[in-house]
Amino acid sequence: MSKRIDLVDLDIFYGDFLAVEQVTLTVNPRSVTAFIGPSGCGKSSVLRSINRMHELVPGAYVTGEVLLDNEDVYGVDVDPVLVRRTIGMVFQRPNPFPTMSIYDNVVAGLRLSKRRRRSKDLDDVVERSLRSANLWAEVKDRVDRPGAGLSGGQQQRLCIARAIAIEPEVLLMDEPCSALDPISTLAIEDLIHELKDTYTIVIVTHNMQQAARVSSTTAFFNVNAVGEPGRLIEIGETSQIFSNPRVKQTEDYVSGRFG
């Protein structure tokens, strides 16, 4: 079952630097929420804070709350590895493990867990995950070949298959199409439409047309000046954000006046 995400008064720090300030928003289950805004406004930091990936940067921490169905993912007894298993992530550039086959890429996360699985079970996971990523028909006869041998768009769909193989409930996508050609981009967008029936999805994108195509909710972030913290300026239904924003900063950004 996909989960609801609530950010409450979230501040994100990198050492002494306050990167993002006072973000409060809700992401509903089985929906796509897009984060848009100019470079340096903190949207990727907010995305990574949801599954604690930003903690991989030395000195990074947050204050406020990140709630997954009302449970704080930063709770004292919460294991960040388990958080990242529940909240999967797809990165900006396709990053299949270069020495692994397509098959081994898909099951890499499962093999890191302590639970033993039969080969037949892994075979089922590989087929199901590749089908879910709309990749099975293209690779079913060569799953033993290197994942790095696929095209860029296929590699990104392989990374999505790898992310969903561990059965997360949330998928975070950090500009998943920025390194892809238009045809591959459309394939990923079509896939996002299909996956939203199963997962809660949050996508960071610089492509406003993409945000309009794939999301039901859009959050606009901005920063007043270099060195100041990013802030959430406005969040609402995507159609409203792009056609009738309530805040002038949002209107200026979506109309192309800056950014």
Side-chain angles (χ1 to χ4, degrees), residues 2 33 48 79 164 174 178 183-184 193 204 207:
S2 64
T33 296
R48 289 165 179 259
D79 181 351
I164 62 182
D174 193 359
S178 65
I183 292 174
S184 296
H193 277 295
V204 166
N207 184 328

Side-chain angles (χ1 to χ4, degrees), residues 110-144:
L110 294 175
R111 285 178 168 158
L112 287 173
S113 69
K114 295 183 172 62
R115 183 176 150 202
R116 295 183 65 82
R117 289 175 172 82
R118 296 174 303 171
S119 294
K120 174 66 168 63
D121 293 337
L122 291 178
D123 291 347
D124 291 344
V125 169
V126 169
E127 180 173 348
R128 184 179 70 248
S129 301
L130 290 171
R131 283 188 185 279
S132 295
N134 287 340
L135 191 57
W136 175 250
E138 297 167 47
V139 304
K140 62 183 179 181
D141 297 323
R142 49 180 173 138
V143 294
D144 58 339

